Amino acid sequence: MNQGKYVFAQLMSLIDPNDFGRCVEKYNGNHRVRNFSCWHQFLSLSFGQLTHRESLRDVVLCLQAHQSKLYHLGLSKGISRSTLADANEQRDWRIYADFAQILIQKARLLYASSVLEGLDLANTLYALDSTTIDLCLDVFWWAKFRKHKAAIKLHTLFDLKCQIPCFIHITDGLCHDVNVLDILDFEADAFYVMDRGYLSWKRLNRIHQSNAFFVTRANDNLAFLRLYSNPVDKSTGVKCDQTVRLKNYYVSKFYPIHFRRIKYYDKELDKTFVFLTNNFQVEAAQIALIYKYRWQIELFFKWIKQHLRIKVFWGESANAVKTQIWVAVCSYVLVAILKKQLEIPASMNEMLQILSISVFDKTPVNQLFTNGNYKNDSKPNDNQLILFDL
C-alpha cells in the first residue's frame, strides 16, 4: 500500500487493470464511450458500496462534494446521476460477474490453507442455498414472485473453508432452488452440503456421477430399504449408520445406487436429524459436523444484507440490479483479500465500518487497523441497560 494515496485508491490498487480490461473487452463494454468508462462505473458503484450510500443520487452527491479528489480516486470529474444511471441500465452486467470470478479465484488461493474446527478433511466443502430479496412489483415488474410482490433470488455456492461465495446465480422469485443444480459444474471429491429443498434424486445422481459427494437431510416420508448397518459409537450422538437404497421402483430409476442414511441426535438442540450422503469413507459424526457447518451460508446471507447495498437498488432494470449485486460481491471479496494479505485481525464487519469513514483519508490502510483492540470484551457492562429487565 503506497503512502500518500487515499484509502479508497489503496483498496482499488489490489485490482489488476488487465484483468478488468479483459472482462470489458469481452462484452465490448466501452463501445462508443467517451468519458465515463466501465472502470469509472465500477469505481463509482464500489464507492457507494463501501461508504454505505442509500441511492444513486446519494452516491453522485457525495462524489461531487469532493470534486478536487476525484482524479486521485481514479474517477473523472463531472459525474452526473443520469450518466451513472444510463451506464447501469445499458452496460452488460456480465462484465462485473466475470470480474468477480477473477477476484474470487484470487481470494480462494489466499485462503486455501484455512481449516474448519473439528474437521480433518482435505476435500473442498461447499454449501448451496438461496436467499430471497423482496422488491416492489410496480417498479420491478420483471421479477415475478407472487401476485402482489416481486422478488429475486440469489442462488449461492459458498466455500465453507474460505468463507467466499464461488458461484451466484440471480433469478426471479419463482425459480425453485433445486433448478440451480442443473447448471452447476460439480468438482470431483468436493462435498456439496444442501438442505431438503435440494432433494432431487435425479440431480443427486448427477453429483454422484461427477465423482463428488452430497450431504443433505432426508424427508420424513423417505421410503428406503436397509441393506447393512455399520457399528456406531452412540456417545458421539450418532444413533445409526446404514447403507440403504430407495424402495420406490420409479424413484429408484433416478438414483439406482446405494447411499448412507445417518441418524444423529444433537444434544444442544435436543433434536434428531437424518442425513443422506453418497460418501462411505468419512465417519458418521464428521458427516453430521459437515452439515452443521452449512449454517455458515445463512450467516453470510445475513451479513451481506446488513453490510452491503443489495436490498435497495439504484436502478429498475434487471441489468442494473445484477450489476449492483455483482459490484457488491466484488467489494466483499476485495475486503477479504485485503484482510488476508495484510493479516488484519479485525472482522469483516469492523473493516467495512472503518473503511466507510476513511475513503478520503491518506493513512496507509494497514495502519487503520493497528491501533484498535478488536478482541471482544466478554465482561458484561453493568452500565448497559438490559431490555428484558426493564
Side-chain angles (χ1 to χ4, degrees):
M1 299 300 170
N2 296 327
Q3 189 172 5
K5 282 187 176 182
Y6 291 113
V7 168
F8 181 79
Q10 293 178 55
L11 181 61
M12 292 300 116
S13 67
L14 296 173
I15 297 173
D16 185 346
N18 294 324
D19 290 337
F20 189 85
R22 282 190 291 268
C23 295
V24 175
E25 186 178 354
K26 180 179 178 180
Y27 299 102
N28 205 15
N30 285 332
H31 179 61
R32 290 190 173 182
V33 174
R34 294 183 178 180
N35 298 316
F36 194 70
S37 66
C38 290
W39 176 243
H40 294 143
Q41 179 192 7
F42 176 79
L43 291 179
S44 301
L45 295 178
S46 297
F47 174 86
Q49 292 288 341
L50 294 171
T51 58
H52 302 166
R53 298 301 97 200
E54 296 294 337
S55 65
L56 212 60
R57 190 181 298 276
D58 191 6
V59 173
V60 173
L61 184 64
C62 290
L63 289 174
Q64 288 178 342
H66 297 275
Q67 285 281 353
S68 61
K69 302 175 183 178
L70 294 185
Y71 175 80
H72 302 284
L73 297 182
L75 286 163
S76 60
K77 294 185 178 181
I79 180 175
S80 66
R81 186 182 65 85
S82 61
T83 301
L84 183 54
D86 290 343
N88 292 343
E89 296 286 334
Q90 298 170 8
R91 294 179 189 171
D92 200 322
W93 61 270
R94 291 176 295 178
I95 295 171
Y96 309 101
D98 286 5
F99 181 61
Q101 291 300 325
I102 294 174
L103 294 178
I104 286 169
Q105 293 303 318
K106 291 183 178 180
R108 293 185 68 192
L109 289 175
L110 290 173
Y111 286 85
S113 60
S114 301
V115 295
L116 294 173
E117 184 178 356
L119 284 177
D120 187 19
L121 294 175
N123 310 64
T124 306
L125 269 63
Y126 295 109
L128 179 63
D129 207 347
S130 70
T131 186
T132 302
I133 300 175
D134 293 330
L135 302 171
C136 175
L137 184 60
D138 292 336
V139 178
F140 302 94
W141 55 268
W142 48 268
K144 304 298 183 184
F145 185 42
R146 294 175 182 166
K147 186 176 181 180
H148 300 293
K149 183 184 290 187
I152 58 172
K153 277 187 177 181
L154 305 185
H155 304 269
T156 305
L157 189 66
F158 189 70
D159 190 326
L160 292 171
K161 290 184 178 180
C162 300
Q163 299 290 293
I164 298 292
C166 303
F167 168 87
I168 296 178
H169 182 56
I170 305 170
T171 66
D172 59 36
L174 290 177
C175 181
H176 196 282
D177 292 354
V178 77
N179 293 329
V180 76
L181 291 175
D182 296 330
I183 61 176
L184 275 175
D185 293 324
F186 299 106
E187 178 184 333
D189 295 326
F191 280 86
Y192 292 84
V193 191
M194 304 163 284
D195 62 18
R196 285 181 288 192
Y198 294 89
L199 190 55
S200 167
W201 291 108
K202 183 177 180 180
R203 294 172 173 91
L204 293 181
N205 189 28
R206 182 168 169 261
I207 296 177
H208 181 79
Q209 297 302 323
S210 302
N211 296 319
F213 306 113
F214 62 81
V215 178
T216 186
R217 287 179 60 191
N219 289 329
D220 296 333
N221 61 348
L222 177 67
F224 65 93
L225 288 175
R226 181 178 62 86
L227 304 176
Y228 181 76
S229 292
N230 301 299
V232 298
D233 181 4
K234 294 190 176 182
S235 64
T236 62
V238 179
K239 298 303 179 184
C240 69
D241 181 4
Q242 303 169 335
T243 301
V244 302
R245 69 175 177 86
L246 293 173
K247 183 177 181 180
N248 186 284
Y249 174 79
Y250 296 102
V251 177
S252 64
K253 294 294 183 181
F254 295 125
Y255 198 91
I257 48 186
H258 303 164
F259 57 95
R260 287 173 78 185
R261 177 181 179 270
I262 299 169
K263 182 178 286 188
Y264 178 82
Y265 175 71
D266 192 317
K267 293 182 179 179
E268 296 180 2
L269 300 177
D270 190 23
K271 188 175 181 180
T272 300
F273 299 91
V274 179
F275 303 115
L276 306 177
T277 182
N278 63 331
N279 183 286
F280 289 87
Q281 287 74 44
V282 178
E283 296 180 1
Q286 292 277 288
I287 295 295
L289 185 57
I290 287 173
Y291 189 86
K292 185 175 183 180
Y293 274 111
R294 192 199 71 83
W295 188 249
Q296 295 296 322
I297 193 172
E298 304 288 355
L299 299 179
F300 170 74
F301 288 146
K302 180 179 179 181
W303 192 93
I304 62 173
K305 287 183 177 180
Q306 289 178 341
H307 302 291
L308 297 177
R309 292 300 174 262
I310 62 168
K311 294 182 70 176
V312 178
F313 291 99
W314 306 334
E316 299 177 2
S317 69
N319 191 81
V321 169
K322 291 179 179 180
T323 296
Q324 183 175 334
I325 290 174
W326 280 112
V327 172
V329 172
C330 291
S331 300
Y332 172 86
V333 178
L334 275 174
V335 176
I337 291 173
L338 178 70
K339 176 178 172 63
K340 192 65 175 180
Q341 284 189 348
L342 300 183
E343 298 181 353
I344 297 173
S347 67
M348 291 283 287
N349 179 23
E350 292 166 335
M351 288 183 67
L352 277 177
Q353 289 177 334
I354 294 172
L355 288 172
S356 67
I357 61 171
S358 306
V359 291
F360 292 115
D361 197 278
K362 288 189 176 181
T363 304
V365 70
N366 58 325
Q367 294 183 15
L368 288 174
F369 309 99
T370 55
N371 297 325
N373 180 14
Y374 299 106
K375 295 182 179 179
N376 293 327
D377 187 2
S378 58
K379 297 181 180 180
N381 185 355
D382 296 332
N383 294 327
Q384 177 66 46
L385 292 177
I386 301 176
L387 177 62
F388 296 105
D389 287 348
L390 294 179

